[in-house]
Amino acid sequence: MREHHNLSQQDVCGRSGIDVATYSRIEQGHSSPKLDTLIRIADALGVPLADLVR
């Protein structure tokens, strides 16, 4: 989804306030984020939460 929106991990982290290392682990599937973190990522990407978790 991030790449589809032409955003870097840095872009998403800057918009969401999530640490780059944490975001990278989430994106790679090495960490399961809490709901509030998912909401922040969805907001940073400009997509509904439902689209992010499909």
Side-chain angles (χ1 to χ4, degrees):
M1 177 99 30
R2 172 183 60 79
E3 291 174 344
H4 176 76
H5 285 88
N6 296 315
L7 296 170
S8 68
Q9 287 185 347
Q10 292 281 359
D11 293 332
V12 175
C13 291
R15 293 177 182 189
S16 66
I18 298 168
D19 178 73
V20 175
T22 300
Y23 181 79
S24 181
R25 286 192 301 274
I26 293 167
E27 193 171 83
Q28 293 174 8
H30 298 294
S31 178
S32 297
K34 294 181 180 181
L35 180 59
D36 65 318
T37 302
L38 288 172
I39 292 169
R40 290 166 55 190
I41 293 170
D43 288 346
L45 294 171
V47 299
L49 178 60
D51 288 353
L52 182 64
V53 296
R54 281 192 194 151

